[in-house]
Coordinates of all heavy atoms in Angstrom, one line a residue:
V290 N 3.5 -7.0 3.0 CA 3.3 -6.0 4.0 C 3.0 -6.9 5.4 O 2.3 -7.8 5.2 CB 2.0 -5.1 3.8 CG1 1.7 -4.3 5.0 CG2 2.1 -4.4 2.6
T291 N 3.7 -6.4 6.4 CA 3.4 -7.1 7.7 C 2.7 -6.2 8.6 O 3.1 -4.9 8.8 CB 4.8 -7.6 8.3 OG1 5.4 -8.5 7.5 CG2 4.6 -8.3 9.7
V292 N 1.6 -6.6 9.2 CA 0.8 -5.7 10.1 C 0.9 -6.2 11.6 O 1.5 -7.3 11.9 CB -0.7 -5.6 9.6 CG1 -0.7 -5.0 8.4 CG2 -1.3 -7.0 9.6
D293 N 0.3 -5.4 12.4 CA 0.5 -5.6 13.9 C -0.3 -6.7 14.5 O -0.1 -7.1 15.7 CB 0.1 -4.2 14.6 CG -1.3 -3.7 14.4 OD1 -1.8 -4.0 13.3 OD2 -1.8 -3.1 15.2
R294 N -1.4 -7.1 13.8 CA -2.2 -8.3 14.3 C -2.8 -9.1 13.2 O -2.6 -8.7 12.0 CB -3.4 -7.7 15.2 CG -4.3 -6.8 14.4 CD -5.2 -6.0 15.2 NE -6.0 -5.1 14.6 CZ -7.2 -5.4 13.9 NH1 -7.7 -6.7 14.0 NH2 -7.8 -4.4 13.3
P295 N -3.3 -10.3 13.5 CA -3.9 -11.1 12.5 C -5.0 -10.4 11.7 O -5.7 -9.7 12.2 CB -4.5 -12.3 13.2 CG -3.6 -12.3 14.5 CD -3.4 -10.9 14.9
V296 N -4.8 -10.7 10.4 CA -5.9 -10.1 9.4 C -7.0 -10.9 9.2 O -7.0 -12.1 9.0 CB -5.2 -9.8 8.1 CG1 -6.2 -9.1 7.2 CG2 -3.9 -8.9 8.3
D297 N -8.2 -10.2 9.5 CA -9.6 -11.0 9.2 C -9.8 -11.0 7.6 O -9.4 -10.1 6.9 CB -10.7 -10.2 9.8 CG -10.6 -10.0 11.3 OD1 -10.1 -11.0 11.9 OD2 -11.1 -9.1 11.8
K298 N -10.5 -12.2 7.3 CA -10.8 -12.4 5.8 C -11.7 -11.3 5.3 O -11.6 -10.8 4.2 CB -11.5 -13.6 5.6 CG -10.6 -14.9 5.9 CD -11.3 -16.2 5.6 CE -10.5 -17.3 5.9 NZ -11.1 -18.6 5.9
E299 N -12.6 -10.7 6.2 CA -13.6 -9.7 5.8 C -12.7 -8.3 5.5 O -13.2 -7.6 4.6 CB -14.6 -9.3 6.9 CG -15.5 -10.5 7.3 CD -14.9 -11.5 8.1 OE1 -13.8 -11.2 8.9 OE2 -15.3 -12.7 8.2
D300 N -11.7 -8.2 6.2 CA -10.8 -6.9 6.0 C -10.2 -7.0 4.7 O -9.8 -6.0 4.0 CB -9.9 -6.7 7.2 CG -10.6 -6.2 8.4 OD1 -11.7 -5.6 8.2 OD2 -10.1 -6.4 9.5
V301 N -9.7 -8.3 4.3 CA -9.1 -8.5 3.1 C -10.0 -8.1 1.9 O -9.7 -7.5 0.9 CB -8.5 -9.9 2.9 CG1 -8.0 -10.2 1.4 CG2 -7.4 -10.2 3.8
V302 N -11.3 -8.5 2.0 CA -12.2 -8.2 1.0 C -12.5 -6.7 1.0 O -12.5 -6.1 -0.1 CB -13.6 -8.9 1.3 CG1 -14.7 -8.4 0.4 CG2 -13.4 -10.4 1.1
R303 N -12.6 -6.0 2.1 CA -12.7 -4.5 2.2 C -11.6 -3.8 1.5 O -11.8 -2.9 0.7 CB -12.9 -4.1 3.7 CG -14.3 -4.3 4.2 CD -14.3 -3.9 5.7 NE -14.2 -2.4 5.8 CZ -13.8 -1.8 6.9 NH1 -13.6 -2.4 8.0 NH2 -13.7 -0.5 7.0
L304 N -10.4 -4.3 1.8 CA -9.2 -3.6 1.2 C -9.2 -3.8 -0.4 O -8.9 -2.8 -1.0 CB -7.9 -4.2 1.9 CG -7.6 -3.8 3.3 CD1 -6.6 -4.8 3.9 CD2 -7.2 -2.4 3.4
A305 N -9.5 -5.0 -0.7 CA -9.6 -5.2 -2.2 C -10.6 -4.5 -2.9 O -10.4 -4.1 -4.0 CB -9.7 -6.7 -2.5
S306 N -11.8 -4.1 -2.2 CA -12.8 -3.4 -2.8 C -12.6 -1.8 -2.9 O -13.1 -1.2 -3.6 CB -14.0 -3.6 -2.2 OG -14.4 -5.0 -2.1
G307 N -11.7 -1.5 -2.1 CA -11.4 -0.1 -2.0 C -11.8 0.5 -0.6 O -12.9 0.2 -0.2
V308 N -11.1 1.5 -0.1 CA -11.6 2.1 1.2 C -11.2 3.6 1.0 O -10.4 3.9 0.0 CB -10.6 1.6 2.4 CG1 -11.0 0.1 2.7 CG2 -9.2 1.8 2.2
V309 N -11.9 4.3 1.9 CA -11.7 5.8 1.8 C -10.5 6.3 2.6 O -10.3 6.0 3.7 CB -12.9 6.6 2.4 CG1 -12.8 8.1 2.3 CG2 -14.2 6.2 1.6
I310 N -9.5 7.1 1.9 CA -8.4 7.5 2.5 C -8.2 9.1 2.1 O -8.9 9.4 1.2 CB -7.1 6.8 2.2 CG1 -6.7 6.9 0.6 CG2 -7.1 5.4 2.7 CD1 -5.4 6.4 0.3
T311 N -7.5 9.7 2.9 CA -7.1 11.2 2.6 C -5.7 11.2 2.3 O -4.9 10.7 3.0 CB -7.6 12.0 3.8 OG1 -8.8 11.8 4.2 CG2 -7.3 13.4 3.6
T312 N -5.4 12.0 1.2 CA -4.1 12.3 0.8 C -3.9 13.7 0.5 O -4.9 14.4 0.2 CB -3.6 11.5 -0.5 OG1 -4.6 11.8 -1.5 CG2 -3.6 10.0 -0.2
T313 N -2.7 14.2 0.6 CA -2.5 15.7 0.3 C -1.5 15.7 -0.9 O -0.5 15.2 -1.0 CB -1.6 16.4 1.5 OG1 -2.5 16.2 2.7 CG2 -1.4 17.8 1.2
A314 N -2.0 16.6 -1.9 CA -1.2 16.7 -3.1 C -0.6 18.2 -3.1 O -1.2 19.1 -2.6 CB -2.2 16.7 -4.4
Q315 N 0.7 18.1 -3.4 CA 1.5 19.4 -3.3 C 1.9 19.8 -4.7 O 2.8 19.1 -5.3 CB 2.7 19.4 -2.4 CG 2.2 19.1 -1.0 CD 3.3 18.9 0.0 OE1 4.6 19.2 -0.4 NE2 3.1 18.6 1.2
R316 N 1.4 20.9 -5.2 CA 1.9 21.4 -6.5 C 2.0 22.8 -6.5 O 1.0 23.6 -6.0 CB 0.8 21.0 -7.6 CG 0.9 19.4 -7.8 CD 0.0 19.2 -9.1 NE -0.1 17.7 -9.3 CZ -1.0 16.9 -8.8 NH1 -1.9 17.4 -8.0 NH2 -0.9 15.6 -9.2
D317 N 2.9 23.3 -7.2 CA 3.1 24.9 -7.4 C 2.9 25.6 -5.9 O 2.1 26.6 -5.8 CB 2.1 25.4 -8.3 CG 2.3 24.9 -9.8 OD1 3.4 24.5 -10.1 OD2 1.3 24.7 -10.4
R318 N 3.6 25.1 -5.0 CA 3.5 25.7 -3.6 C 2.1 25.7 -2.9 O 1.9 26.5 -2.0 CB 4.1 27.1 -3.6 CG 5.6 27.1 -4.0 CD 6.2 28.4 -4.0 NE 7.6 28.5 -4.5 CZ 8.2 29.4 -4.9 NH1 7.7 30.6 -4.9 NH2 9.4 29.3 -5.4
S319 N 1.3 25.0 -3.4 CA 0.0 24.9 -2.8 C -0.4 23.4 -2.5 O 0.2 22.5 -3.1 CB -1.1 25.4 -3.7 OG -1.3 24.6 -4.8
R320 N -1.1 23.3 -1.4 CA -1.4 21.9 -0.9 C -2.9 21.7 -1.0 O -3.7 22.7 -0.7 CB -1.1 21.7 0.5 CG 0.4 21.9 0.8 CD 0.7 21.9 2.2 NE 0.8 20.4 2.7 CZ 1.0 20.2 3.8 NH1 1.2 20.9 4.8 NH2 1.0 18.8 4.1
K321 N -3.3 20.6 -1.5 CA -4.8 20.4 -1.8 C -5.1 19.0 -1.0 O -4.3 17.9 -1.4 CB -5.1 20.3 -3.2 CG -6.6 20.7 -3.6 CD -6.6 20.8 -5.0 CE -8.0 21.6 -5.2 NZ -8.3 21.8 -6.6
V322 N -6.0 18.8 -0.2 CA -6.4 17.6 0.5 C -7.5 16.9 -0.3 O -8.5 17.4 -0.7 CB -6.8 17.9 1.9 CG1 -7.2 16.6 2.7 CG2 -5.7 18.6 2.7
Y323 N -7.2 15.6 -0.5 CA -8.2 14.8 -1.3 C -8.7 13.6 -0.4 O -7.9 12.9 0.2 CB -7.6 14.3 -2.6 CG -7.2 15.3 -3.6 CD1 -6.0 15.7 -3.8 CD2 -8.3 15.8 -4.4 CE1 -5.6 16.7 -4.7 CE2 -7.9 16.7 -5.4 CZ -6.6 17.2 -5.6 OH -6.3 18.1 -6.5
T324 N -9.9 13.5 -0.2 CA -10.5 12.3 0.5 C -11.4 11.7 -0.6 O -12.3 12.2 -1.1 CB -11.4 12.7 1.7 OG1 -10.5 13.5 2.6 CG2 -11.9 11.5 2.4
A325 N -10.9 10.3 -0.9 CA -11.7 9.6 -1.9 C -11.5 8.1 -1.7 O -10.5 7.6 -1.0 CB -11.1 10.0 -3.3
M326 N -12.3 7.4 -2.3 CA -12.2 5.9 -2.3 C -10.9 5.4 -3.2 O -10.7 6.0 -4.2 CB -13.4 5.2 -2.9 CG -13.5 3.8 -2.9 SD -13.9 3.1 -1.3 CE -15.6 3.1 -1.2
T327 N -10.2 4.5 -2.7 CA -9.1 3.9 -3.6 C -9.7 3.0 -4.6 O -10.8 2.4 -4.5 CB -8.2 3.1 -2.6 OG1 -8.9 2.0 -2.0 CG2 -7.5 3.9 -1.6
K328 N -9.0 2.8 -5.7 CA -9.5 1.9 -6.7 C -9.4 0.4 -6.2 O -8.5 0.2 -5.3 CB -8.6 2.2 -8.0 CG -8.8 3.4 -8.7 CD -8.0 3.4 -10.0 CE -8.2 4.7 -10.7 NZ -7.5 4.8 -11.9
P329 N -10.2 -0.4 -6.7 CA -10.1 -1.7 -6.4 C -8.7 -2.3 -6.7 O -8.0 -1.8 -7.6 CB -11.1 -2.4 -7.2 CG -12.1 -1.4 -7.5 CD -11.3 -0.1 -7.6
C330 N -8.2 -3.2 -5.8 CA -6.8 -3.8 -6.0 C -6.9 -5.2 -5.7 O -7.8 -5.7 -5.1 CB -5.8 -3.0 -5.2 SG -6.0 -3.1 -3.4
H331 N -5.7 -5.9 -6.0 CA -5.7 -7.4 -5.6 C -4.9 -7.5 -4.3 O -3.9 -6.8 -4.0 CB -4.7 -8.0 -6.6 CG -4.5 -9.5 -6.3 ND1 -5.3 -10.4 -6.5 CD2 -3.4 -10.1 -5.8 CE1 -4.8 -11.6 -6.1 NE2 -3.6 -11.4 -5.7
V332 N -5.5 -8.1 -3.2 CA -5.0 -8.3 -1.9 C -5.0 -9.7 -1.7 O -6.0 -10.4 -1.8 CB -5.8 -7.5 -0.9 CG1 -5.2 -7.7 0.5 CG2 -5.9 -6.0 -1.2
Q333 N -3.9 -10.3 -1.3 CA -3.7 -11.7 -1.1 C -3.2 -11.9 0.3 O -2.1 -11.2 0.7 CB -2.9 -12.4 -2.0 CG -2.7 -13.9 -1.8 CD -2.0 -14.6 -2.9 OE1 -1.3 -13.9 -3.7 NE2 -1.9 -15.8 -2.9
K334 N -3.8 -12.7 1.1 CA -3.3 -13.0 2.6 C -2.1 -14.1 2.4 O -2.4 -15.1 1.8 CB -4.4 -13.6 3.4 CG -4.1 -13.7 4.8 CD -5.3 -13.9 5.6 CE -5.0 -14.0 7.1 NZ -6.1 -14.3 8.0
R335 N -1.0 -13.7 2.9 CA 0.2 -14.6 2.7 C 0.6 -15.1 4.1 O 1.5 -15.9 4.1 CB 1.4 -13.7 2.2 CG 1.0 -13.0 0.9 CD 1.0 -13.9 -0.2 NE 2.3 -14.0 -0.8 CZ 2.6 -14.7 -1.8 NH1 1.8 -15.4 -2.4 NH2 3.9 -14.7 -2.3
G336 N -0.1 -14.8 5.1 CA 0.1 -15.4 6.4 C -0.8 -14.8 7.4 O -1.6 -13.9 7.0
P337 N -0.8 -15.1 8.7 CA -1.7 -14.5 9.6 C -1.6 -13.0 9.7 O -2.7 -12.2 9.8 CB -1.3 -15.1 11.0 CG -0.5 -16.3 10.7 CD 0.0 -16.1 9.3
R338 N -0.4 -12.4 9.6 CA -0.3 -11.0 9.6 C 0.5 -10.3 8.4 O 0.9 -9.3 8.4 CB 0.6 -10.6 10.9 CG 0.0 -11.0 12.2 CD 0.7 -10.7 13.4 NE 2.1 -11.0 13.4 CZ 3.1 -10.0 13.6 NH1 2.7 -8.7 13.9 NH2 4.3 -10.3 13.6
R339 N 0.5 -11.2 7.2 CA 1.2 -10.7 6.1 C 0.1 -10.6 4.9 O -0.7 -11.5 4.7 CB 2.3 -11.6 5.7 CG 3.5 -11.5 6.8 CD 4.5 -12.4 6.3 NE 5.0 -12.0 5.0 CZ 6.1 -11.7 4.7 NH1 7.1 -11.6 5.5 NH2 6.4 -11.4 3.4
L340 N 0.2 -9.6 4.1 CA -0.5 -9.3 2.9 C 0.3 -9.0 1.7 O 1.3 -8.4 1.9 CB -1.6 -8.2 3.2 CG -2.5 -8.4 4.3 CD1 -3.3 -7.1 4.6 CD2 -3.6 -9.4 3.8
Q341 N -0.3 -9.3 0.6 CA 0.5 -8.8 -0.7 C -0.6 -8.0 -1.4 O -1.7 -8.3 -1.7 CB 0.8 -9.9 -1.5 CG 1.5 -9.6 -2.8 CD 2.0 -10.8 -3.7 OE1 1.5 -11.9 -3.5 NE2 2.8 -10.3 -4.7
F342 N -0.2 -6.8 -1.9 CA -1.1 -5.9 -2.6 C -0.5 -5.7 -4.0 O 0.7 -5.6 -4.2 CB -1.0 -4.5 -1.9 CG -1.8 -4.4 -0.7 CD1 -1.2 -4.9 0.5 CD2 -3.0 -3.7 -0.7 CE1 -2.0 -4.7 1.5 CE2 -3.8 -3.6 0.5 CZ -3.2 -4.0 1.7
I343 N -1.4 -5.6 -5.1 CA -1.1 -5.2 -6.4 C -2.0 -4.1 -6.7 O -3.2 -4.3 -6.8 CB -1.3 -6.3 -7.4 CG1 -0.3 -7.5 -7.1 CG2 -1.0 -5.9 -8.8 CD1 -0.5 -8.7 -7.9
L344 N -1.5 -2.8 -6.7 CA -2.3 -1.7 -6.9 C -2.4 -1.2 -8.3 O -1.6 -1.5 -9.1 CB -1.7 -0.5 -6.1 CG -1.4 -0.6 -4.6 CD1 -0.7 0.6 -4.1 CD2 -2.7 -0.9 -4.0
Q345 N -3.6 -0.5 -8.6 CA -3.8 0.0 -10.0 C -3.4 1.5 -10.0 O -3.2 2.1 -11.0 CB -5.2 -0.1 -10.3 CG -5.7 -1.5 -10.6 CD -7.1 -1.5 -11.1 OE1 -7.6 -0.6 -11.6 NE2 -7.7 -2.8 -10.8
E346 N -3.2 2.1 -8.7 CA -2.8 3.5 -8.6 C -1.8 3.5 -7.4 O -1.8 2.6 -6.7 CB -4.0 4.3 -8.3 CG -4.7 4.1 -7.0 CD -5.9 5.0 -6.7 OE1 -6.0 6.1 -7.2 OE2 -6.7 4.6 -5.8
G347 N -1.0 4.5 -7.3 CA -0.1 4.6 -6.2 C -0.2 6.0 -5.5 O 0.8 6.7 -5.7
R348 N -1.2 6.1 -4.7 CA -1.2 7.4 -4.0 C -0.3 7.5 -2.8 O 0.1 6.4 -2.4 CB -2.7 7.6 -3.4 CG -3.7 7.8 -4.6 CD -5.1 7.6 -4.4 NE -5.6 8.6 -3.3 CZ -6.9 8.5 -2.8 NH1 -7.7 7.5 -3.3 NH2 -7.2 9.3 -1.9
N349 N 0.1 8.6 -2.3 CA 1.1 8.8 -1.2 C 0.7 7.9 -0.1 O -0.4 8.2 0.5 CB 1.0 10.3 -0.9 CG 2.1 10.5 0.2 OD1 2.0 10.1 1.2 ND2 3.0 11.5 -0.2
R350 N 1.6 7.1 0.3 CA 1.4 6.2 1.5 C 0.2 5.4 1.5 O -0.6 5.2 2.5 CB 1.6 7.0 2.8 CG 2.9 7.8 2.9 CD 3.1 8.6 4.0 NE 3.0 7.8 5.3 CZ 3.9 7.2 6.0 NH1 5.2 7.2 5.4 NH2 3.7 6.6 7.1
Q351 N -0.3 5.0 0.3 CA -1.6 4.4 0.2 C -1.9 3.2 0.9 O -2.8 3.0 1.5 CB -1.9 4.1 -1.4 CG -3.2 3.5 -1.6 CD -3.6 3.4 -3.1 OE1 -2.9 3.9 -3.9 NE2 -4.5 2.5 -3.4
I352 N -0.9 2.3 0.9 CA -1.2 1.0 1.5 C -1.2 1.2 3.1 O -2.1 0.7 3.8 CB 0.0 0.0 1.3 CG1 -0.2 -0.4 -0.2 CG2 0.0 -1.2 2.2 CD1 1.0 -1.4 -0.8
R353 N -0.3 2.1 3.7 CA -0.4 2.3 5.1 C -1.7 3.0 5.4 O -2.3 2.7 6.5 CB 0.7 3.4 5.4 CG 2.1 2.7 5.3 CD 3.2 3.7 5.7 NE 4.5 3.2 5.4 CZ 5.3 2.3 6.2 NH1 4.7 1.9 7.3 NH2 6.4 1.9 5.8
K354 N -2.2 3.9 4.7 CA -3.5 4.6 4.9 C -4.6 3.7 4.7 O -5.6 3.7 5.5 CB -3.5 5.8 4.0 CG -2.7 6.8 4.3 CD -2.7 8.1 3.4 CE -1.7 9.2 3.8 NZ -1.9 10.3 2.9
M355 N -4.6 2.8 3.8 CA -5.7 1.8 3.5 C -5.8 0.9 4.8 O -6.9 0.6 5.3 CB -5.4 1.0 2.4 CG -5.7 1.7 1.0 SD -5.2 0.7 -0.4 CE -6.4 -0.6 -0.4
L356 N -4.6 0.4 5.3 CA -4.6 -0.5 6.4 C -5.0 0.2 7.7 O -5.8 -0.3 8.5 CB -3.2 -1.2 6.5 CG -3.0 -2.3 5.6 CD1 -1.5 -2.6 5.4 CD2 -3.8 -3.5 5.8
A357 N -4.6 1.4 7.8 CA -5.2 2.3 9.0 C -6.6 2.4 8.9 O -7.2 2.5 10.0 CB -4.4 3.6 9.0
A358 N -7.2 2.5 7.7 CA -8.7 2.8 7.6 C -9.5 1.7 8.0 O -10.6 1.8 8.5 CB -9.0 3.2 6.2
V359 N -8.8 0.5 8.1 CA -9.5 -0.8 8.6 C -9.0 -1.3 9.9 O -9.3 -2.3 10.3 CB -9.6 -1.9 7.6 CG1 -10.3 -1.5 6.4 CG2 -8.2 -2.3 7.1
G360 N -8.1 -0.4 10.5 CA -7.6 -0.7 11.9 C -6.5 -1.5 12.1 O -6.1 -2.1 13.2
Y361 N -5.5 -1.4 11.1 CA -4.1 -2.2 11.2 C -3.1 -1.1 11.2 O -3.3 -0.1 10.5 CB -4.1 -3.1 10.2 CG -5.0 -4.2 10.2 CD1 -6.2 -4.2 9.4 CD2 -4.8 -5.4 10.8 CE1 -7.2 -5.2 9.5 CE2 -5.7 -6.5 11.0 CZ -6.9 -6.3 10.3 OH -7.8 -7.2 10.2
E362 N -2.0 -1.4 11.8 CA -0.7 -0.6 11.6 C 0.3 -1.5 10.9 O 0.6 -2.6 11.2 CB -0.2 -0.4 13.1 CG 1.1 0.4 13.1 CD 1.7 0.6 14.4 OE1 1.1 0.4 15.3 OE2 2.8 1.1 14.5
V363 N 0.9 -0.8 10.0 CA 1.9 -1.5 9.1 C 3.2 -1.5 9.9 O 3.8 -0.4 10.3 CB 2.2 -0.7 7.8 CG1 3.4 -1.4 7.0 CG2 0.9 -0.7 6.9
L364 N 3.8 -2.7 10.0 CA 5.1 -2.9 10.8 C 6.3 -3.0 9.7 O 7.4 -2.6 10.0 CB 5.0 -4.1 11.7 CG 4.0 -4.2 12.7 CD1 4.1 -5.4 13.5 CD2 4.2 -3.1 13.7
E365 N 6.0 -3.5 8.6 CA 7.0 -3.7 7.4 C 6.3 -3.6 6.2 O 5.3 -4.2 5.9 CB 7.7 -5.0 7.8 CG 8.7 -5.3 6.7 CD 9.4 -6.6 7.0 OE1 9.6 -7.0 8.2 OE2 9.8 -7.3 6.0
L366 N 6.9 -2.8 5.2 CA 6.4 -2.8 3.9 C 7.6 -2.9 2.9 O 8.6 -2.1 3.0 CB 5.6 -1.5 3.7 CG 5.0 -1.2 2.4 CD1 3.7 -0.4 2.6 CD2 5.8 -0.6 1.3
H367 N 7.4 -3.7 2.0 CA 8.6 -4.0 1.0 C 7.9 -4.0 -0.4 O 7.0 -4.7 -0.8 CB 9.2 -5.4 1.2 CG 10.3 -5.8 0.4 ND1 11.5 -5.1 0.5 CD2 10.4 -6.6 -0.7 CE1 12.3 -5.6 -0.5 NE2 11.7 -6.5 -1.2
R368 N 8.4 -3.0 -1.2 CA 7.9 -2.9 -2.5 C 8.8 -3.7 -3.5 O 10.0 -3.6 -3.4 CB 8.1 -1.3 -3.0 CG 7.5 -1.1 -4.4 CD 7.6 0.3 -4.6 NE 6.7 1.2 -3.8 CZ 6.7 2.4 -3.8 NH1 7.3 3.2 -4.8 NH2 5.8 3.1 -3.0
V369 N 8.2 -4.5 -4.3 CA 9.0 -5.3 -5.2 C 9.0 -5.0 -6.6 O 9.8 -5.5 -7.3 CB 8.6 -6.8 -5.0 CG1 8.9 -7.4 -3.5 CG2 7.1 -7.1 -5.3
E370 N 8.0 -4.2 -7.1 CA 7.9 -3.8 -8.5 C 7.2 -2.5 -8.5 O 6.3 -2.1 -7.8 CB 7.2 -4.8 -9.2 CG 7.0 -4.6 -10.7 CD 6.3 -5.7 -11.4 OE1 6.4 -6.8 -11.0 OE2 5.7 -5.3 -12.6
V371 N 7.7 -1.7 -9.4 CA 7.1 -0.3 -9.8 C 7.1 -0.2 -11.3 O 8.1 -0.2 -11.9 CB 7.7 0.8 -9.1 CG1 7.2 2.2 -9.5 CG2 7.9 0.6 -7.6
M372 N 5.8 -0.1 -11.9 CA 5.7 0.1 -13.3 C 6.6 -0.8 -14.1 O 7.2 -0.4 -15.1 CB 6.0 1.5 -13.6 CG 5.0 2.5 -13.0 SD 5.3 4.2 -13.4 CE 4.9 4.2 -15.1
G373 N 6.6 -2.2 -13.8 CA 7.3 -3.2 -14.6 C 8.8 -3.2 -14.1 O 9.5 -4.1 -14.6
I374 N 9.3 -2.4 -13.3 CA 10.7 -2.5 -12.9 C 10.7 -3.2 -11.4 O 10.0 -2.8 -10.6 CB 11.2 -1.0 -12.6 CG1 11.3 -0.2 -13.9 CG2 12.7 -1.1 -12.1 CD1 11.7 1.2 -13.8
T375 N 11.5 -4.4 -11.6 CA 11.4 -5.2 -10.4 C 12.9 -5.2 -9.6 O 13.9 -4.6 -10.1 CB 11.3 -6.7 -10.8 OG1 12.4 -7.1 -11.5 CG2 10.0 -6.9 -11.6
L376 N 12.9 -5.7 -8.5 CA 14.1 -5.8 -7.7 C 14.9 -7.1 -8.0 O 16.0 -7.2 -7.5 CB 13.8 -5.8 -6.2 CG 13.1 -4.6 -5.7 CD1 12.7 -4.8 -4.2 CD2 13.9 -3.4 -6.0
R377 N 14.3 -7.9 -8.9 CA 15.1 -9.2 -9.2 C 16.5 -9.0 -9.8 O 16.8 -8.1 -10.6 CB 14.3 -9.9 -10.3 CG 13.1 -10.6 -9.7 CD 12.5 -11.5 -10.9 NE 11.1 -11.6 -10.4 CZ 10.0 -11.1 -11.1 NH1 10.3 -10.4 -12.2 NH2 8.8 -11.3 -10.7
G378 N 17.5 -9.7 -9.1 CA 18.8 -9.5 -9.6 C 19.5 -8.4 -8.9 O 20.8 -8.3 -9.2
L379 N 19.0 -7.6 -8.3 CA 19.6 -6.4 -7.7 C 20.1 -6.7 -6.3 O 19.4 -7.2 -5.4 CB 18.7 -5.1 -7.6 CG 18.3 -4.5 -8.9 CD1 17.4 -3.4 -8.6 CD2 19.6 -4.0 -9.6
R380 N 21.4 -6.3 -6.0 CA 21.9 -6.3 -4.6 C 21.5 -5.2 -3.9 O 21.1 -4.1 -4.4 CB 23.4 -6.5 -4.6 CG 23.9 -7.7 -5.2 CD 25.4 -7.9 -5.2 NE 26.1 -6.7 -5.5 CZ 26.8 -6.4 -6.7 NH1 26.7 -7.3 -7.7 NH2 27.4 -5.2 -6.9
E381 N 21.4 -5.3 -2.5 CA 21.0 -4.3 -1.6 C 21.9 -3.0 -1.9 O 23.1 -3.1 -2.0 CB 21.2 -4.6 -0.2 CG 20.6 -3.6 0.8 CD 20.6 -4.1 2.2 OE1 20.5 -5.4 2.4 OE2 20.6 -3.2 3.1
G382 N 21.4 -1.8 -2.0 CA 22.0 -0.6 -2.2 C 22.3 -0.3 -3.7 O 22.8 0.8 -4.1
C383 N 21.9 -1.2 -4.6 CA 22.1 -0.9 -6.1 C 20.8 -0.5 -6.6 O 19.8 -0.5 -6.0 CB 22.5 -2.3 -6.7 SG 24.2 -2.9 -6.2
W384 N 20.8 -0.1 -8.0 CA 19.6 0.3 -8.7 C 19.7 -0.1 -10.1 O 20.7 -0.5 -10.7 CB 19.3 1.9 -8.6 CG 20.6 2.6 -9.2 CD1 20.7 3.0 -10.6 CD2 21.8 3.1 -8.6 NE1 21.9 3.5 -10.7 CE2 22.7 3.7 -9.5 CE3 22.3 3.0 -7.3 CZ2 23.8 4.2 -9.3 CZ3 23.6 3.6 -7.0 CH2 24.2 4.2 -8.0
A385 N 18.5 -0.2 -10.8 CA 18.3 -0.6 -12.1 C 18.5 0.5 -13.1 O 18.2 1.7 -12.7 CB 16.9 -1.2 -12.3
P386 N 19.1 0.3 -14.2 CA 19.3 1.5 -15.3 C 17.9 2.0 -15.7 O 17.0 1.3 -15.8 CB 20.2 0.8 -16.2 CG 20.1 -0.7 -16.1 CD 19.6 -0.9 -14.7

């Protein structure tokens, strides 16, 4: 993830511990708003404005909302793995079976 400004070490700790975000769940034509703390996750600083996240849960736009909660805007987000399925060996525009 690349953000709009250099990331403070204290914010990395806050993000890893969990922050409060609001998400909307849509089921059976109804919408329900949930405001809750995110589960703790692994956050590693990869550069002044770059972070790597390993989440235990994947709420709607979770990383963007977590970073907004501590005052950052996401400029670029690249997902490399979902539930054990990786992008390794895939060319752009292709998908895994």
Side-chain angles (χ1 to χ4, degrees):
V290 178
T291 305
V292 295
D293 61 332
R294 60 189 175 84
V296 180
D297 297 330
K298 290 179 185 177
E299 298 81 20
D300 290 333
V301 173
V302 172
R303 284 179 61 198
L304 290 163
S306 299
V308 295
V309 176
I310 64 171
T311 300
T312 57
T313 303
Q315 296 181 10
R316 289 189 183 91
D317 301 325
R318 296 185 186 159
S319 65
R320 299 174 82 180
K321 208 169 197 181
V322 177
Y323 295 98
T324 299
M326 181 77 86
T327 59
K328 290 185 179 181
C330 62
H331 175 78
V332 182
Q333 183 178 6
K334 193 169 178 179
R335 306 286 271 178
R338 299 185 314 126
R339 292 184 55 124
L340 298 168
Q341 179 180 13
F342 285 77
I343 300 175
L344 302 178
Q345 293 184 22
E346 63 180 341
R348 292 163 60 183
N349 183 299
R350 301 176 62 84
Q351 180 174 340
I352 291 174
R353 293 180 191 279
K354 290 177 182 181
M355 288 174 69
L356 285 161
V359 293
Y361 296 91
E362 179 183 352
V363 172
L364 301 178
E365 182 180 324
L366 188 145
H367 182 72
R368 183 180 295 179
V369 295
E370 182 177 335
V371 178
M372 297 180 67
I374 301 170
T375 70
L376 297 177
R377 285 188 203 106
L379 289 178
R380 293 187 315 263
E381 188 172 335
C383 294
W384 61 88

